[in-house]
Amino acid sequence: MKIATRTALIYAVLTAGILFLFAYVLYFVSEKNREDEFNDRLGYKVIWRSEFIFDARINDEKIRELHQRNQKLLNEADISVYNSNKELTFTDIPPSKSNEKYLDKMIRSNKNKIFWQQGDRQYIALQFESNGEKFYIIGSAEDVTGKAHIAEFKKDIIIIYISCIVLIFIIGFLFSYYTLKPLKDIIVQIRDISEHNLDQRLDIPKAKDEIYELTETFNSTFNRLEKSFNSHKQFVTTLSHEFRTPLSTLIAELELAKELNVTLDDYKLSIDNALQDANDASELSSALLDFARASYDVSQISLVKVRLDEILAEAKLALLQKNINYKIGINYVGNTTDEDENNYDFHGNPYLLQVAFSNLMENACKYSRDKSCHVEIETNAQFIKIKFIDYGIGISEKDLSNIFDLFYRGANKNFEKGNGIGLSIVKRIVEIHEGKISVHSEISKGSLFTIEFSSKK
């Protein structure tokens, strides 16, 4: 069952319950008013007939004849008259067996009159005095007209009730359909979006309501999906291209060795070349693995309390073990008192931070003629700033806007081997830690990379 139908049905059922309660109360009150009104009229009729019987001074048969004649026209009440000893002295019809029981009840309760009902007839018992003598009068009649009106009223209520329920269901269905129509439009638009048209977006409604928020949420999700899908597609395409070069070189080297090598020195040279190509492929795969880790969702990355100066020192030691010719110096800028020690505390992922720092140190060493990198770290209560400085070949102004793109290599690519992944990894890691990275460089004068983090105690 669809939401529109289910909503209309639930709405109709709830409204039906409320209307039923209202109709029942209305019918009950009407029936009670009819009964009370008829009891009042019955009392007047019984008193009037009692006065007529005691004052008319005509015989009982004549009174009964007049009563039968009037009853055909006016629905007169039938009465029975009892003296103070509860002996029947006059009656229009054979008295009911329960008359004495209700007479006793009235006498015991010291009430002037009581009412009750048996079947379709309503009864009244009352005390009446004539010439100083007490009598008990019991009168009864059937409210034919009143009950006919109540029956007609009940029929009208049922018809109106059923009609209202049907009308409410139709109105509820139309209202639900109109309310849920934007959701149906969203469903239709989403069905049209596939991996071939991820750039398509949902139409945003003008009213800023829940549908607007839902549409914005879907569009935001599609933005992330498109970005992720495009990145994945670009990554796979570029990965295939980048791996093809070292692998093709390695295969060609081995095939040449197989066909042309004669001496032992030739084979050694071929093996050395093959090993170099294999190392290049290994470095490329390691760099891609680091980039993949840096591309995880932030919620999937474990962040712990670390000291950035210690991460820098570990990155320096790891890099010097990799290449003993590199020269790396770390300088603390500003106050270095004990009370400033906690300024180096930071909430981050130690592995990713070390990868980022290592990449920047290695690039500085590779592209400077003296293979050196100068690192400066400055902290205060608001920020932590780390500068990576080299006095190497520099980066052209044209390349500066693209150096953080994946697999991009600028005009300095002939100076040193590389794969164009390192700076992309660095930028992603800095973004994960909600930091900023900037670069300033001049040709033949060197480069300055600056990372700035907010202090997190």
Side-chain angles (χ1 to χ4, degrees):
M1 185 182 294
K2 292 189 175 182
I3 294 179
T5 306
R6 185 167 66 246
T7 302
L9 187 60
I10 293 173
Y11 177 67
V13 170
L14 291 175
T15 309
I18 296 173
L19 285 178
F20 177 80
L21 182 62
F22 175 76
Y24 178 79
V25 171
L26 185 63
Y27 175 79
F28 177 80
V29 171
S30 300
E31 174 64 18
K32 187 70 171 60
N33 289 338
R34 180 205 65 79
E35 184 178 332
D36 292 341
E37 182 184 3
F38 185 72
N39 284 335
D40 291 339
R41 288 191 285 115
L42 181 61
Y44 295 144
K45 288 181 179 181
V46 169
I47 292 174
W48 180 83
R49 287 213 58 215
S50 299
E51 291 176 346
F52 177 77
I53 291 171
F54 286 106
D55 297 340
R57 306 298 181 183
I58 58 178
N59 60 46
D60 294 351
E61 291 300 325
K62 189 64 176 177
I63 291 174
R64 291 190 186 94
E65 181 182 348
L66 292 173
H67 172 63
Q68 293 293 333
R69 190 183 304 167
N70 290 337
Q71 193 173 40
K72 292 179 181 179
L73 299 173
L74 303 174
N75 190 23
E76 283 285 357
D78 297 320
I79 66 170
S80 299
V81 181
Y82 295 84
N83 59 22
S84 58
N85 296 322
K86 296 188 293 185
E87 295 174 349
L88 183 66
T89 61
F90 176 83
T91 184
D92 289 322
I93 58 174
S96 172
K97 295 180 180 180
S98 60
N99 282 359
E100 292 187 10
K101 180 180 73 171
Y102 285 102
L103 281 177
D104 292 336
K105 181 178 179 182
M106 183 180 66
I107 294 171
R108 286 196 305 270
S109 63
N110 291 323
K111 293 181 178 179
N112 291 326
K113 59 182 175 181
I114 62 172
F115 298 94
W116 73 93
Q117 184 169 342
Q118 287 182 348
D120 292 332
R121 296 183 71 84
Q122 291 177 236
Y123 289 79
I124 181 175
L126 53 84
Q127 297 183 22
F128 185 84
E129 289 188 6
S130 179
N131 297 323
E133 187 178 353
K134 181 183 288 187
F135 293 90
Y136 299 109
I137 312 297
I138 294 180
S140 66
E142 183 179 353
D143 188 10
V144 177
T145 304
K147 288 188 175 180
H149 289 163
I150 287 293
E152 189 69 23
F153 179 66
K154 181 179 179 181
K155 180 181 176 182
D156 292 341
I157 285 180
I158 292 174
I159 293 174
I160 294 172
Y161 177 77
I162 295 175
S163 302
C164 286
I165 296 303
V166 173
L167 181 63
I168 288 170
F169 177 79
I170 294 173
I171 293 174
F173 179 81
L174 294 176
F175 178 77
S176 299
Y177 180 83
Y178 174 78
T179 304
L180 296 174
K181 189 176 182 302
L183 287 179
K184 292 185 177 181
D185 295 339
I186 289 176
I187 292 172
V188 171
Q189 293 180 66
I190 290 176
R191 284 176 178 168
D192 292 337
I193 298 176
S194 66
E195 68 274 13
H196 304 296
N197 59 343
L198 277 175
D199 58 330
Q200 187 174 332
R201 295 294 177 267
L202 304 181
D203 297 332
I204 299 178
K206 295 180 180 179
K208 293 191 176 182
D209 51 12
E210 288 79 1
I211 300 298
Y212 175 87
E213 293 178 2
L214 180 63
T215 305
E216 283 286 304
T217 302
F218 271 119
N219 284 342
S220 177
T221 302
F222 286 135
N223 287 337
R224 293 194 297 270
L225 284 175
E226 182 185 16
K227 182 179 179 181
S228 176
F229 187 80
N230 290 339
S231 298
H232 178 267
K233 185 165 63 174
Q234 179 188 5
F235 183 79
V236 171
T237 302
T238 312
L239 178 64
S240 303
H241 177 268
E242 293 296 325
F243 262 113
R244 187 183 299 128
T245 302
L247 291 178
S248 299
T249 305
L250 177 60
I251 292 171
E253 189 70 40
L254 294 175
E255 287 179 346
L256 287 174
K258 178 181 177 182
E259 299 293 334
L260 302 177
N261 288 356
V262 178
T263 64
L264 182 59
D265 291 337
D266 292 336
Y267 279 107
K268 285 182 179 181
L269 180 60
S270 296
I271 291 173
D272 289 339
N273 291 336
L275 284 173
Q276 182 60 46
D277 293 333
N279 285 331
D280 291 342
S282 177
E283 289 180 3
L284 178 61
S285 64
S286 298
L288 289 172
L289 181 60
D290 288 336
F291 181 81
R293 288 174 177 170
S295 298
Y296 290 164
D297 192 326
V298 177
S299 61
Q300 304 295 319
I301 297 175
S302 174
L303 302 178
V304 297
K305 188 176 182 180
V306 297
R307 279 182 61 96
L308 286 182
D309 56 340
E310 293 179 357
I311 300 295
L312 279 169
E314 290 173 2
K316 170 186 174 180
L317 291 175
L319 194 57
L320 291 178
Q321 288 178 357
K322 181 179 177 181
N323 193 322
I324 60 175
N325 295 321
Y326 287 166
K327 303 169 187 176
I328 303 172
I330 300 177
N331 300 318
Y332 293 85
V333 179
N335 295 328
T336 57
T337 59
D338 291 340
E339 62 183 18
D340 296 326
E341 285 295 309
N342 291 335
N343 288 341
Y344 297 103
D345 291 341
F346 186 71
H347 215 64
N349 184 279
Y351 172 79
L352 293 179
L353 289 171
Q354 184 174 337
V355 169
F357 297 159
S358 294
N359 271 291
L360 290 174
M361 291 178 183
E362 186 173 17
N363 281 351
C365 293
K366 283 197 304 184
Y367 294 101
S368 61
R369 293 178 177 82
D370 59 352
K371 305 297 181 185
S372 65
C373 174
H374 302 281
V375 181
E376 294 180 356
I377 179 168
E378 178 184 357
T379 68
N380 59 33
Q382 286 75 40
F383 64 84
I384 303 174
K385 187 179 292 186
I386 307 172
K387 297 180 180 179
F388 298 85
I389 308 167
D390 71 77
Y391 301 99
I393 61 174
I395 305 171
S396 67
E397 187 174 347
K398 176 184 175 182
D399 292 332
L400 280 176
S401 59
N402 299 314
I403 58 173
F404 293 110
D405 295 342
L406 184 61
F407 296 113
Y408 179 82
R409 299 206 66 201
N412 56 9
K413 61 183 178 181
N414 296 324
F415 186 84
E416 186 71 29
K417 285 185 177 181
N419 47 46
I421 300 176
L423 290 179
S424 298
I425 297 174
V426 172
K427 183 180 181 183
R428 178 59 185 150
I429 292 174
V430 171
E431 289 174 347
I432 288 173
H433 292 85
E434 299 179 4
K436 296 183 292 185
I437 183 170
S438 60
V439 57
H440 174 75
S441 183
E442 293 184 28
I443 296 294
S444 301
K445 290 186 178 181
S447 302
L448 167 63
F449 285 84
T450 304
I451 296 177
E452 184 174 334
F453 296 117
S454 295
S455 294
K456 298 179 181 179
K457 300 298 179 66

